[in-house]
Amino acid sequence: WELISTIAEGYRLLRSCACEDALSIFQSLPLSHQNSGWVVCQIARCYFEMNNYGEADVYYSQVRKVEPYRLEGMEYYSTVLWHLRKNVELAALAKELVGIDKTTSEAWVAVGNCFSLQKENDLAIKFFQRAAQVSPWCAYAYTLCGHEYVTKDELEKAAGCYRHAIVLDPRHYNAWFGLGMVYFRQDQWGLSLYHFDKACKINPMSSVLRCQVGKCFRESGQHETALAHCLAAVKLDEQNGRAKFEVAKVLVELERYDEALALLERLRDSTFADAPVYFLLSKIYKHTNKPGEALLNLMTAVDLDTSQIGSTGHMFAMGDESGANMMVAEDSTLFENSESNLDESESDSLCS
């Protein structure tokens, strides 16, 4: 009875999005139970919910070895492989799951993720709809379908999918978040914040969700409130470079350039150094009358953006990149010459 109670408590914590606590409980079980397929699958799910896709991959791979015919939970494994951009492994998983049972949502979600990774959005939608057809109660299939519609900029269809997912599972925070993103893209800040707040109440430990709330406040001009939420996001996950970048953007809006510069320079020296970091650095150097440094960072941003073109898909739930090329196009007079006369336009990019 004590063993069952412990496992049940771990599962309750996982469903309550208290993933670190759930992980501690599952990993405290006797090895004979800890290494069972079901428990290993729950451990993998904990890492998945914590956005630690590398560790999730390790444990889901272990599940496949222990119970090669397990279908439960494999839809999340396919999403892990999607995030890790493991094309071959994802295709193999999808083929295996369809071979085991083609009447399950897990199999068709994996196929949909496979096509999504190849940027075949219409085919991905078709297979996510197939997953919902064979398992009408599968909220996750509707949510992924919504993500694909967002990628195609068909926001009304996306909103319909998210609403259906919420009806099926009111605690499915991914759907609340997706619906918030739809309103965010439509500049409806009030509705966006309402849905993000719903998602945060279900999963209060998510740094990504908290950061998105901060971004929404920033877009609506409430910079001090935005800063508080973004700092809270960083506190929840010190490894969340997107949240740190959002903090820097708010600091720039508040004209606290020294603080923003210090933070961005740390990001630049980390693995998070992508195009928007260098672009924002160029804006700070522009405002601090360092046109040479501004030009150098802008050119680096353009070079990086060119090499990063093509990263799309339902990662939009983690943010959306306008890209340095778009920023330069919108800010065509950023430099009247290579040394000075920096333009004052306020180009921006969205990332989390």
Side-chain angles (χ1 to χ4, degrees):
W1 173 252
E2 182 180 351
L3 175 64
I4 294 177
S5 297
T6 301
I7 293 174
E9 177 62 11
Y11 187 71
R12 184 192 70 81
L13 290 169
L14 172 58
R15 294 296 296 168
S16 300
C17 298
C19 296
E20 291 187 1
D21 294 335
L23 194 59
S24 297
I25 288 180
F26 287 131
Q27 292 180 333
S28 70
L29 293 171
L31 286 178
S32 58
H33 296 283
Q34 189 180 142
N35 293 328
S36 66
W38 187 87
V39 173
V40 174
C41 196
Q42 305 315 306
I43 292 174
R45 178 71 182 277
C46 287
Y47 282 116
F48 171 78
E49 295 291 350
M50 294 162 64
N51 298 325
N52 189 337
Y53 302 118
E55 285 296 311
D57 183 21
V58 171
Y59 282 95
Y60 275 125
S61 296
Q62 185 178 337
V63 173
R64 299 291 298 156
K65 294 175 182 178
V66 175
E67 297 182 4
Y69 293 102
R70 167 177 283 273
L71 289 168
E72 182 185 357
M74 292 300 102
E75 69 272 38
Y76 299 110
Y77 185 25
S78 69
T79 300
V80 166
L81 295 175
W82 187 97
H83 281 289
L84 296 175
R85 300 293 192 267
K86 291 191 174 183
N87 292 278
V88 176
E89 292 87 344
L90 179 53
L93 176 66
K95 182 178 179 181
E96 289 174 12
L97 296 181
V98 171
I100 293 171
D101 189 350
K102 63 177 65 176
T103 65
T104 62
S105 60
E106 292 88 351
W108 296 114
V109 164
V111 175
N113 272 331
C114 189
F115 281 104
S116 176
L117 188 54
Q118 300 298 325
K119 302 179 180 61
E120 297 284 352
N121 304 115
D122 290 329
L123 285 173
I125 289 171
K126 175 182 176 181
F127 287 112
F128 291 141
Q129 289 174 336
R130 175 61 176 163
Q133 183 181 18
V134 298
S135 298
W137 55 87
C138 182
Y140 193 50
Y142 285 100
T143 297
L144 292 179
C145 195
H147 292 347
E148 295 302 316
Y149 277 126
V150 169
T151 301
K152 288 164 57 66
D153 207 31
E154 297 181 17
L155 300 183
E156 289 303 318
K157 290 182 179 179
C161 289
Y162 294 135
R163 292 190 185 104
H164 199 118
I166 291 169
V167 169
L168 292 173
D169 182 5
R171 286 189 54 79
H172 190 52
Y173 70 87
N174 310 74
W176 285 105
F177 182 76
L179 198 51
M181 283 299 297
V182 169
Y183 290 120
F184 185 90
R185 290 193 169 203
Q186 295 173 337
D187 296 341
Q188 299 186 52
W189 313 124
L191 285 171
S192 182
L193 279 170
Y194 171 80
H195 289 88
F196 288 149
D197 184 61
K198 285 281 190 180
C200 284
K201 286 180 178 178
I202 297 169
N203 187 359
M205 302 307 293
S206 173
S207 175
V208 173
L209 294 179
R210 185 61 58 187
C211 180
Q212 191 62 41
V213 171
K215 289 162 67 175
C216 199
F217 277 114
R218 177 178 59 80
E219 290 291 339
S220 62
Q222 302 179 58
H223 296 124
E224 293 291 349
T225 305
L227 182 60
H229 281 282
C230 293
L231 289 172
V234 173
K235 186 176 181 179
L236 285 170
D237 182 5
E238 290 289 342
Q239 303 303 313
N240 188 345
R242 299 290 183 184
K244 293 178 182 179
F245 179 65
E246 188 64 26
V247 169
K249 291 171 73 175
V250 178
L251 289 173
V252 170
E253 295 287 346
L254 293 171
E255 299 184 359
R256 292 160 61 175
Y257 299 122
D258 290 341
E259 295 172 66
L261 183 60
L263 180 55
L264 286 170
E265 286 179 340
R266 289 197 297 272
L267 285 176
R268 183 183 59 188
D269 297 334
S270 69
T271 56
F272 184 75
D274 59 4
V277 171
Y278 286 95
F279 179 78
L280 193 55
L281 278 168
S282 76
K283 289 181 67 176
I284 293 174
Y285 285 125
K286 173 186 71 173
H287 285 293
T288 54
N289 297 317
K290 296 180 180 178
E293 292 287 340
L295 179 59
L296 178 62
N297 280 277
L298 178 63
M299 293 302 100
T300 303
V302 172
D303 290 340
L304 285 172
D305 181 73
T306 302
S307 68
Q308 293 168 2
I309 286 175
S311 110
T312 60
H314 52 252
M315 267 292 286
F316 93 93
M318 301 302 167
D320 177 69
E321 294 291 352
S322 299
N325 283 338
M326 179 68 73
M327 295 182 236
V328 173
E330 293 175 353
D331 201 2
S332 58
T333 59
L334 183 61
F335 288 92
E336 294 182 6
N337 56 57
S338 62
E339 295 295 329
S340 60
N341 295 326
L342 297 175
D343 182 78
E344 294 298 326
S345 71
E346 295 295 328
S347 304
D348 204 6
S349 68
L350 186 67
C351 66
S352 66

